[in-house]
Amino acid sequence: MLDNLVLFLAIIEREGLSAAGRELGLSPATVSERLAALEAYYGATLMTRTTRSLSLTEEGRVLAEGAQRLLAEADELESRIRWGTQKISGPVRLTAPVDLGQNRVVPIIDRFIEAHPDVTVDITLTDSFVDLVGQGLDFAVRYGPSADSTLKTRLIGENRRLICASPDYLARNGTPMHPDDLMQHDCILMRFAQNADRIWSFQVDGKTHDVVVRGRRTANNGHLLKRWALEGRGLCKKSVWDVQADLDEGRLVEVLAPFSSRRTVLQIVYPPSRVQPRRVSALIDAIATQLTIQDSVA
């Protein structure tokens, strides 16, 4: 229909079917057929033609005015969409774990926005998995393998979850030497949705060894868990990405390292899409690259 409207306006501008056909590379028969199709679609005669002249009917004049507006809007829409896939501008929506998001992802986002002022970013910090498609999110930074096989993934690096506590807590309560010793300690528990993570897994003699832990503090926010651990409130299980700086500075101490569970992954997941806006792919590239660099430095 848009092509036929372009032809219709060309006929008016060139004052003839043959001239319009030559401009658009169409045969006279094709021009006549497409004009007839346009008139059939609207159910009206759009122009009267003689061997020497061409004039618009009232319906033709109305269509000519509307076609000019419609084609201009279509060009603008196409430019905005195509430009959006090339220019780094527009909105990006993502989600990330609380601690990792606050400490590592947000600084990358700040630098990205500073470099690309036409970009806006909406980030949801949560330690729960979010339905990307249902929530209209462009991508997520996540620990562990994706449970949704339809999502595409980009590996950032390995992740290891460890048990740690403050030196003050260990001085007051002793250092656990075996996973079973945790049953005598106050453990800080993470809650995912409605379920607290009470079963902590380890490797003992090459086999998985689960321990049911207890504690007086449970939260669904990883940042709060780390804060309680730093305050000497108990032992917590955290990703090494979240506590590496605290371990390096001696604010937290890893325990039970010989029994550490198997490593998993840190990755970016995103819905499959034929064409990903450049603003989204550029931010994914920035996060993946800069987090990898930070990890190698750590």
Side-chain angles (χ1 to χ4, degrees), residues 21 34 52 89 91 114 120 124 138 144 152 225 227 237 239 244 251-252 263 268 291:
R34 288 175 57 174
R52 294 187 177 182
S89 65
E114 190 171 323
T120 62
T124 298
D138 294 302
K152 292 187 176 181
L225 263 65
R227 195 191 83 186
K237 181 169 70 171
S239 164
Q244 186 64 63
R251 294 185 292 270
L252 292 175
R263 291 173 179 256
I268 292 173
L291 278 182

Side-chain angles (χ1 to χ4, degrees), residues 1-6 9 65-83:
M1 177 57 67
L2 291 179
D3 288 342
N4 285 346
L5 291 177
V6 170
L9 293 179
E65 293 175 0
Q68 290 173 343
R69 292 194 302 270
L70 181 61
L71 291 172
E73 292 173 358
D75 286 342
E76 181 184 358
L77 180 60
E78 182 177 358
S79 296
R80 288 174 59 188
I81 294 174
R82 289 185 182 276
W83 190 242

